Amino acid sequence: MFDYKLLSALAAVVEQGGFERAAQVLGLSQSAVSQRIKLLEARVGQPVLQRSTPPAATELGQRLLNHVQQVRWLERDLGQSVPALAGGSQPERLRIALNADSLATWWAPAVAAFCAEQQVLLELVVEDQEVGLKRMRAGEVAACVCAAERPVAGARSVALGAMRYLALASPAFVARHFPEGVQAERLAEVPAIVFGPDDQLQHRYLAALGMHGGFSYHLCPSSEGFVRLASAGLGWGLVPALQVEAQLTRGELVDLLPGQFLDVPLYWHHWRQGGELLASLTRHLGQAALQTLQPIS
Amino acid sequence: MFDYKLLSALAAVVEQGGFERAAQVLGLSQSAVSQRIKLLEARVGQPVLQRSTPPAATELGQRLLNHVQQVRWLERDLGQSVPALAGGSQPERLRIALNADSLATWWAPAVAAFCAEQQVLLELVVEDQEVGLKRMRAGEVAACVCAAERPVAGARSVALGAMRYLALASPAFVARHFPEGVQAERLAEVPAIVFGPDDQLQHRYLAALGMHGGFSYHLCPSSEGFVRLASAGLGWGLVPALQVEAQLTRGELVDLLPGQFLDVPLYWHHWRQGGELLASLTRHLGQAALQTLQPIS
């Protein structure tokens, strides 16, 4: 079996953000921690840490951390059925990839009660809904929220519901570019906002209106920033209806083409052997998502 | 001189997100665009594009794009003094690195008027305030907002003001963990929220209270997600006061230790030879930031 003393040292350095704090948590000297990391690197024949401030795991290091996490879940399950083993229970950490728009809307209220009851700490990784699955495949996360239904080998997927996106802009933007009312066929001529290179929502929205050419856009890889740019009148863009209820009510943002929306289905992918904690989160999320997301058509 | 036909092809593929759209914009066939990219790669002896969907620039490709952008600014300046040269003016694109919290608060209102008047498109890159300067040094961005004052060679820095951070949590979180009122000395024992490995704000806040050990935390690399997690009661964390005026007024979030805040100074770094557009944005930003940020102490 692996030497878990070495792997725990790696986990502590990354989780605590440094050798000094890792040493405190492990009750070791700093040089003992450093020694363990060097020994681990000698065994695997490659660096496991980038010596940055704070230190970050290399790709190999991240795979080892993921393995440590999976072992911890198994230990936790065992500890619940054999309480004598549970000992001083550290909160668990779940590493989950999800799209920025989920994080900006339904995610936190959906998991809050679960995390408080189960003493779980989240490590969230923001990935576009089209690419989160890559993180699962690489074994870097325990679960992910993404737009694809088909699970990777060893995982299961559960339908959560659909996020409804509306094409929004500020009233000033509409007045400047569409003084005679919004003309769908001119939408590709005015500046849009695009989240990042993986974000095809604006393209799909225009394609659904019959426009397949290029268009000019701001790039803004932040859900909150996206809404702020739209509210300030820099461009139009597709925003989850859930995120901007207040802005729509106050009239800070307006729906450019009422009735013309885009629904993006979201699925929860999790490892089959992820332990009872992950299975319990999966049941919890399925119910919470039902209450906020649209049914998948 | 470089062959700008080839460089323009690279810029079009990246900006349009694909060979097909790049060909449309350039008025070429798709195979002609592809040919130009191959020729460029043959000249520089390395790939300039990752053949992903959409295609992304390699590190070398990004440096070439940055050069193209600088040449475009110079052309734009020349076009303004020699109007005959201006021709069919495409909107300019400014690539700027800034911290997520600026993007979630003062940034959009501060630049909106400027972008509309000057027909500028923004390409925003989100980087922690401590590391944005790396993007300047690598020549990947035209300007950045960051916490360090000292400019890189060839650039200038301008003080914008300070972001004030308050330690916030939901009333339910406070009631659960501090039923007898918030005790500063127990803050390290309850779950915090940390933006990412580069975010030392929570550590600095605890250190200012005399706590230098480790603490447990959720990791959430999204400004909006951070506020949502805090509002849902998952943990406490440092949030810009500007971002949560509404939540504080409504009582969704409370200030854990009133009067105990952290001010993070922000500086605007820009290339000295960035052209008139960048100089004009710099003047504009300096004034806008004065109105929303705190004076730097």
Side-chain angles (χ1 to χ4, degrees), chain A residues 15-16 21 24 54 93 103-104 108 112 120-124 197 203 213 216-219 221-222 224-225 228 232 234, chain B residues 15 21 24 54 93 103-104 108 112 120-124 197 203 213-214 216-219 221-222 224-225 228-229 232 234:
Chain A
E15 287 168 7
Q16 299 298 321
R21 285 206 201 96
Q24 287 173 356
R93 190 174 278 282
L103 189 46
V120 169
L121 294 173
L122 299 176
E123 180 169 348
L124 301 174
H203 301 78
S216 63
Y217 52 84
H218 301 279
L219 275 167
S222 148
E224 176 75 4
R228 301 263 169 166
L234 277 94
Chain B
E15 287 167 6
R21 285 206 202 97
Q24 285 174 357
R93 190 174 278 282
L103 189 46
V120 169
L121 293 173
L122 300 176
E123 181 170 346
L124 302 174
H203 302 78
S216 64
Y217 51 85
H218 300 278
L219 275 167
S222 147
E224 176 74 3
R228 300 263 170 167
L229 290 190
L234 277 95

Side-chain angles (χ1 to χ4, degrees), chain A residues 225-248:
Chain A
F226 198 107
V227 170
R228 301 263 169 166
L229 290 190
S231 300
L234 277 94
W236 69 277
L238 285 154
V239 180
L242 280 176
Q243 195 181 344
V244 288
E245 281 165 6
Q247 286 89 337
L248 286 170

Side-chain angles (χ1 to χ4, degrees), chain B residues 12-97:
Chain B
V13 170
V14 172
E15 287 167 6
Q16 299 298 321
F19 284 80
E20 194 184 333
R21 285 206 202 97
Q24 285 174 357
V25 169
L26 296 170
L28 294 170
S29 71
Q30 214 171 313
S31 75
V33 175
S34 182
Q35 208 54 46
R36 288 185 182 185
I37 300 291
K38 278 183 203 144
L39 197 52
L40 179 60
E41 293 185 327
R43 298 241 176 117
V44 296
Q46 280 182 48
V48 296
L49 274 182
Q50 292 161 11
R51 264 60 169 189
S52 47
T53 312
T58 61
E59 205 186 318
L60 173 66
Q62 191 54 58
R63 287 182 189 223
L64 294 176
L65 287 178
N66 194 53
H67 170 78
V68 169
Q69 191 53 58
Q70 291 187 297
V71 172
R72 282 182 184 163
W73 295 329
L74 296 175
E75 288 181 358
R76 185 190 160 103
D77 289 354
L78 187 64
Q80 287 186 335
S81 56
V82 189
L85 288 172
S89 74
Q90 283 277 345
E92 295 303 307
R93 190 174 278 282
L94 277 179
R95 199 159 197 264
I96 294 168

Side-chain angles (χ1 to χ4, degrees), chain B residues 206-231:
Chain B
L206 289 174
L209 294 168
M211 285 171 276
H212 299 275
F215 58 95
S216 64
Y217 51 85
H218 300 278
L219 275 167
C220 176
S222 147
S223 287
E224 176 74 3
F226 198 106
V227 170
R228 300 263 170 167
L229 290 190
S231 299

Side-chain angles (χ1 to χ4, degrees), chain A residues 269-280:
Chain A
H269 293 253
H270 64 99
W271 295 111
R272 275 189 220 162
Q273 305 298 334
E276 177 48 33
L277 186 68
L278 199 56
S280 155

Side-chain angles (χ1 to χ4, degrees), chain B residues 192-215:
Chain B
I193 312 173
V194 167
F195 191 85
D198 294 314
D199 171 17
Q200 295 291 311
L201 292 183
Q202 286 67 220
H203 302 78
R204 282 166 55 193
Y205 190 84
L206 289 174
L209 294 168
M211 285 171 276
H212 299 275
F215 58 95

